[in-house]
Amino acid sequence: MEAKADCASDVDNHGDVQGAEAESDPSSAYLDLTSFQLHDLKAVELPPNLIDLDLTANRLSALDPRIGILSHLKKLSLRQNLFEDAGVEPLSSWNALSGLQELILRDNRLTKVPDVSIFKNLLIFDVSFNEIPSMSGISKVSNTLKELYVSKNEVTKMEELDHLQELQILELGSNRLRVMENLQNLTNLQELWLGRNRIRAVNLCGLRSIKKLSLQSNRLTSMVGLQDCVALEELYLSHNGIMKMEGLSTLLNLRVLDVSSNKLTTVNDIENLTKLEDLWLNDNQIASLEGFELAVAGSREKLTTIYLERNPCAKTPSYCVTLKQIFPNLQQIDSEVFS
């Protein structure tokens, strides 16, 4: 849940809310207190019919007990506050909140996954940007969950995911993961974000419904393992050590392919990709555009964006002219946008 308004001008030097009465209109089911710099909610009225409470970007470290009786609440954002583990513990016993569907604890000071087993209808759970070293506790999250965000923590192992068969989005970027594992039950997963980890090999555990996959900034040296992901539409593999394009010819739904900042010397295995619109090949070691037209034959009409800068081939005088001849519908070459 993103911040929807900048209310800083309504806060005095002590963080007291001026104009909270207007925000707390009893007829309103949505209360946005984003960026009030509040240390507590004493000056705020919490209407009993609240459905959505957004407390993003404040200075809260403890939960107001009045939140615990908001029986209609569906969405609660505590993003960007000062909550430590003890500060969110009351959530696990507030039965009136059992119908909560979205809980955002992003960007706080948590060192463990809080107990959210009470929320039997939870759809979105976000504990990104904390200090969590383990996914222990995820097993207690409701199997209704559709989106799980645990990025920018210190997680070392993918675990306790087996029961999340309805999960559609899994974000584990910027952790300390070395192995892709325990994904086999996530048969409805459509987006998997694992950038900025330490993963050396692709292992999607047989999943074939993935539409978006990011493995940017890992330690990959090969693309092997992607060939069965036939539903893939967007694939991000930049900043690895990949030396060869392979396992891509079966990905006929691919629209975006980013293999920039690798160790590629040639373009291979994408000649059949007729839906490809964006191709990022910059910062590799591709020496020449000779044979390039054949290598990208399938996307000749569809491609609108291509990046090849900082390859040896990009230094040739006819570089842009050649690309425009190959791709008649190009709208962008590197940073140059044209009609």
Side-chain angles (χ1 to χ4, degrees):
M1 191 185 307
E2 297 296 332
K4 300 174 181 63
D6 181 4
C7 305
S9 61
D10 295 324
V11 185
D12 69 11
N13 293 333
H14 301 286
D16 293 327
V17 182
Q18 298 175 354
E21 186 175 342
E23 289 283 350
S24 302
D25 181 353
S27 65
S28 174
Y30 170 50
L31 179 56
D32 184 351
L33 292 172
T34 298
S35 298
F36 271 91
Q37 297 300 307
L38 297 170
H39 291 263
D40 57 56
L41 301 181
K42 292 177 181 178
V44 180
E45 180 184 350
L46 298 179
N49 63 331
L50 272 181
I51 294 175
D52 187 341
L53 176 58
D54 193 342
L55 296 168
T56 296
N58 283 288
R59 306 290 293 173
L60 302 173
S61 59
L63 289 169
D64 191 305
R66 291 176 297 158
I67 295 175
I69 58 174
L70 298 175
S71 58
H72 299 284
L73 203 63
K74 301 297 181 185
K75 299 181 180 181
L76 175 61
S77 177
L78 301 171
R79 177 177 178 173
Q80 199 176 338
N81 277 281
L82 303 175
F83 285 101
E84 297 182 356
D85 298 325
V88 298
E89 280 182 4
L91 285 171
S92 64
S93 60
W94 284 348
N95 292 308
L97 299 187
S98 61
L100 201 69
Q101 295 179 355
E102 181 174 328
L103 178 58
I104 310 299
L105 294 167
R106 183 185 184 95
D107 199 0
N108 278 283
R109 298 176 176 179
L110 304 181
T111 62
K112 63 181 180 180
V113 176
D115 182 354
V116 294
S117 57
I118 196 172
F119 308 124
K120 302 300 183 183
N121 300 307
L122 200 60
L123 300 176
I124 300 173
F125 185 38
D126 188 345
V127 289
S128 297
F129 287 80
N130 280 285
E131 302 169 13
I132 298 171
S134 167
M135 294 184 70
S136 177
I138 294 295
S139 61
K140 295 182 179 180
V141 179
S142 172
N143 59 9
T144 58
L145 201 69
K146 292 187 180 297
E147 300 179 19
L148 175 59
Y149 303 91
V150 197
S151 62
K152 198 64 170 68
N153 279 285
E154 300 174 11
V155 175
T156 59
K157 184 178 177 62
M158 299 172 68
E159 57 187 342
E160 298 199 15
L161 296 168
D162 291 351
H163 68 299
L164 299 178
Q165 296 178 12
E166 298 300 316
L167 201 65
Q168 296 178 4
I169 300 176
L170 177 57
E171 162 68 274
L172 282 166
S174 297
N175 277 288
R176 299 181 180 181
L177 300 171
R178 296 181 181 274
V179 179
M180 297 175 66
E181 58 188 337
N182 299 319
L183 296 170
Q184 58 273 8
N185 286 352
L186 308 186
T187 52
N188 288 302
L189 198 64
Q190 296 183 20
E191 299 183 20
L192 179 58
W193 303 89
L194 294 170
R196 295 186 179 275
N197 278 287
R198 304 172 184 181
I199 297 168
R200 295 183 178 275
V202 177
N203 177 18
L204 286 162
C205 305
L207 297 185
R208 299 192 176 195
S209 299
I210 300 289
K211 292 183 178 180
K212 297 181 182 181
L213 174 62
S214 173
L215 283 161
Q216 296 174 306
S217 300
N218 275 280
R219 299 177 182 178
L220 300 178
T221 56
S222 170
M223 294 183 180
V224 172
L226 294 168
Q227 58 273 9
D228 293 329
C229 302
V230 294
L232 263 181
E233 297 178 3
E234 300 179 20
L235 177 58
Y236 304 96
L237 298 171
S238 66
H239 295 90
N240 279 286
I242 298 169
M243 293 180 281
K244 181 181 179 182
M245 295 175 67
E246 55 188 334
L248 299 174
S249 62
T250 56
L251 310 184
L252 300 181
N253 291 299
L254 208 60
R255 295 185 297 102
V256 179
L257 175 59
D258 183 356
V259 285
S260 58
S261 299
N262 277 284
K263 298 180 179 180
L264 302 174
T265 57
T266 57
V267 178
N268 304 102
D269 214 29
I270 61 171
E271 62 271 15
N272 297 328
L273 305 187
T274 58
K275 296 183 179 180
L276 199 61
E277 299 174 5
D278 283 43
L279 178 58
W280 296 59
L281 292 161
N282 53 285
D283 297 279
N284 277 287
Q285 300 166 18
I286 300 169
S288 170
L289 291 180
E290 184 177 349
F292 195 79
E293 184 171 3
L294 183 62
V296 294
S299 58
R300 184 176 182 274
E301 300 293 332
K302 197 75 171 178
L303 203 74
T304 57
T305 300
I306 187 168
Y307 278 78
L308 269 165
E309 58 190 346
R310 292 182 294 278
N311 278 281
C313 65
K315 297 179 181 179
T316 58
S318 59
Y319 165 64
C320 286
V321 173
T322 301
L323 288 178
K324 289 178 181 179
Q325 289 174 343
I326 296 174
F327 304 106
N329 295 311
L330 267 186
Q331 298 174 9
Q332 182 170 352
I333 298 176
D334 300 329
S335 56
E336 181 185 359
V337 181
F338 45 88
S339 56

